[in-house]
Amino acid sequence: MKMKYFDYATLPRTQWSGGTGETKDIVCWPVSDDFAWRACFTSIYESEVLGQFPDIDRSIVLLKGKGIRLTSPGFLEHELVKKMTPFHFSGDIRGHAELLDGSVQCFNIMTRRSCWASEISVISHEHLLPTSHSGVLYVLKGRWEMTGADCVQLAFGQGAWWLPDIREGTIKPLVTDSQLLWVDLRPIG
C-alpha cells in the first residue's frame, strides 16, 4: 500500500448531535464501525460528554483554542492547555470535556489496545518512515518533502497516513521552523 494523502480542508465533516462539535476523519482502519486505529480532528464548540470506547486508548493534541478540562469522577482530571502536547487516556471511561474559554480544535488518535499502540511527537527534522509500523503525519508549520514510493511536498494543513507495508522513505523539512505531528502506530503481538 502506498501513502494516502489528505488535506484538512477537504476531509469529510460529521456534525455532532445538538451542534456541539464536529469530527473530520482522516482514517478509520480497517473499517469505521470496528476500527483497530483511528485518526481524526475534532472541533468542540460547547462543553460535551466524551464518547465511551471500550478497549480503546485515546490520545488528544490541542491544536487551536485556549483548552479543555477532561474529567471523569475518580478516573480522570486533566486540563489540556498546552498546544502540541499529547495527552493519553483510556476510552473505557465516560467523561466530560469542558471548554475553558471558547471553542477548540484537537487532533485525536484512538487505538484498540489489544492490537495497536501509538506514540505522538512533534518533529522538525528529517525522519525515516518506518516500514514495519503504520503512521500518520500532519503538517503544523512550513513545507515538507516525502520521498520513497512517491515524492510529494506537503504544506500546512496537509498530511499522510500509511500501513506497515510501505517501501522505505523519508520526510524532511524544506524551510526552517517547519513542524509536523508524527504518529507512530505499532502492531502489538
Side-chain angles (χ1 to χ4, degrees):
M1 174 178 205
K2 293 184 178 182
M3 293 282 176
K4 300 289 187 181
Y5 302 101
F6 67 89
D7 189 312
Y8 177 85
T10 61
L11 289 172
R13 184 177 75 174
T14 304
Q15 286 288 127
W16 298 353
S17 62
T20 59
E22 69 180 33
T23 300
K24 286 187 162 202
D25 273 321
I26 299 167
V27 58
C28 289
W29 187 83
V31 293
S32 60
D33 292 342
D34 188 26
F35 62 85
W37 59 268
R38 175 185 185 195
C40 66
F41 296 96
T42 54
S43 294
I44 305 172
Y45 309 127
E46 295 178 27
S47 297
E48 175 68 52
V49 172
L50 287 173
Q52 189 173 16
F53 296 92
D55 190 35
I56 298 293
D57 286 328
R58 299 178 73 169
S59 298
I60 186 170
V61 178
L62 179 65
L63 298 177
K64 293 180 182 177
K66 300 287 185 181
I68 54 177
R69 181 178 296 112
L70 304 170
T71 58
S72 180
F75 295 101
L76 175 66
E77 180 75 36
H78 180 78
E79 283 194 1
L80 184 65
V81 293
K82 189 173 180 187
K83 291 181 176 78
M84 311 318 159
T85 303
F87 177 67
H88 311 283
F89 62 102
S90 172
D92 293 324
I93 59 175
R94 181 167 296 280
H96 192 259
E98 178 188 347
L99 295 173
L100 297 178
D101 184 14
S103 64
V104 297
Q105 182 189 65
C106 299
F107 177 83
N108 300 276
I109 295 292
M110 298 180 183
T111 54
R112 190 157 311 278
R113 77 176 56 94
S114 57
C115 54
W116 289 88
S118 70
E119 184 177 329
I120 302 175
S121 55
V122 175
I123 66 168
S124 56
H125 58 279
E126 186 170 336
H127 215 74
L128 185 65
L129 300 173
T131 58
S132 61
H133 299 180
S134 290
V136 179
L137 55 87
Y138 176 66
V139 176
L140 299 169
K141 287 174 38 178
R143 287 193 343 267
W144 293 77
E145 182 177 69
M146 293 182 70
T147 59
D150 299 338
C151 184
V152 67
Q153 289 189 12
L154 300 170
F156 170 74
Q158 298 176 322
W161 65 272
W162 62 92
L163 295 175
D165 56 358
I166 64 165
R167 293 189 186 108
E168 188 172 297
T170 60
I171 183 150
K172 65 181 178 181
L174 296 174
V175 296
T176 57
D177 294 330
S178 292
Q179 287 185 328
L180 62 78
L181 274 179
W182 174 273
V183 182
D184 187 16
L185 292 153
R186 299 173 310 284
I188 295 174

